[in-house]
């Protein structure tokens, strides 16, 4: 992954963003909440060119409805795509059982994003071991492999949505 252009990013993002480590960026809100945004290579569906994208509230405090967080996150996504023509896979954290809330919040952010036509976002949910897992595909609409990327994502998520609960008897 090419590093994000922090100089350019910090000209437009409401919160100042800095590099925490390779592929990980941080910012602190007006409410003293520290967020980490990460972009890690992900080979779950594609062998290369895909990155897992995540948002972590390191302060573990409730974050008020702060549009500056949404705007900063979307400026990070825009900057990622300006420097990388790749695929983002967003997964909602499941550790505290608030993943459905995170999914709804992310979808609300996407719908309120001003440059909606630039990106394609597709959300899918699968249940594994009685836990709901939400994942989203984020790609640029102009990606030359758009149709095959969406098809691969649908096939992958469909496999898990239709996965049998028990293994077939192999005896």
């Amino acid at each position: 992954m090419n590093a994000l252009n922090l100089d350019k990013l910090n000209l437009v993002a409401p919160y100042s963003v800095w590099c925490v480590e390779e592929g990980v960026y941080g910012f602190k809100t007006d409410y003293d909440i520290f967020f980490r945004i990460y972009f890690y290579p992900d080979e779950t569906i594609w062998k290369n060119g895909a990155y897992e994208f995540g948002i972590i509230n390191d302060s573990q405090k409730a974050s008020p409805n702060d549009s500056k967080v949404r705007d900063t996150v979307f400026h990070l996504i825009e900057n990622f795509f300006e420097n990388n023509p790749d695929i983002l896979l967003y997964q909602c954290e499941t550790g505290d059982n608030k993943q459905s809330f995170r999914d709804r919040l992310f979808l609300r952010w996407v719908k309120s994003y001003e440059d909606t036509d630039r990106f394609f976002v597709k959300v899918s949910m699968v249940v594994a071991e009685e836990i709901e897992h939400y994942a989203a595909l984020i790609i640029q609409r102009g990606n030359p492999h758009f149709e095959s990327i969406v098809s691969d994502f649908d096939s992958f998520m469909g496999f898990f949505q239709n996965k049998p609960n028990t293994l077939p008897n192999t005896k």
Side-chain angles (χ1 to χ4, degrees), residues 93-159:
E93 180 194 349
T94 59
D96 58 3
N97 242 0
K98 294 182 181 177
Q99 60 270 26
S100 65
F101 168 77
R102 288 185 184 95
D103 178 64
R104 286 190 308 272
L105 176 63
F106 186 73
L107 285 174
R108 191 169 67 234
W109 284 1
V110 168
K111 289 176 183 173
S112 69
Y113 176 63
E114 2 178 291
D115 202 5
T116 309
D117 294 340
R118 182 171 173 204
F119 300 108
F120 174 81
V121 178
K122 181 165 193 168
V123 176
S124 189
M125 189 272 289
V126 296
V127 177
E129 297 178 13
E130 299 180 16
I131 297 173
E132 293 177 344
H133 296 270
Y134 294 86
L137 169 69
I138 308 167
I139 57 174
Q140 295 182 89
R141 290 190 183 273
N143 188 308
H145 307 289
F146 180 89
E147 288 180 20
S148 66
I149 291 169
V150 173
S151 177
D152 290 347
F153 179 77
D154 287 344
S155 294
F156 182 81
M157 296 308 287
F159 171 78

Side-chain angles (χ1 to χ4, degrees), residues 4 10 18 20 29 36 74 109 122-123 128 146 155 163 167:
L4 302 188
N10 283 318
W18 64 89
V20 175
T29 72
R36 270 186 304 133
F74 274 97
W109 284 1
K122 181 165 193 168
V123 176
F146 180 89
S155 294
K163 186 172 80 168
L167 294 173

Side-chain angles (χ1 to χ4, degrees), residues 39 51 53 77 80-81 86-90 136-139:
F39 302 92
Y51 289 84
F53 159 72
I77 292 171
F80 171 86
F81 280 120
D86 303 306
I87 302 162
L88 287 180
L89 296 170
Y90 171 67
L137 169 69
I138 308 167
I139 57 174

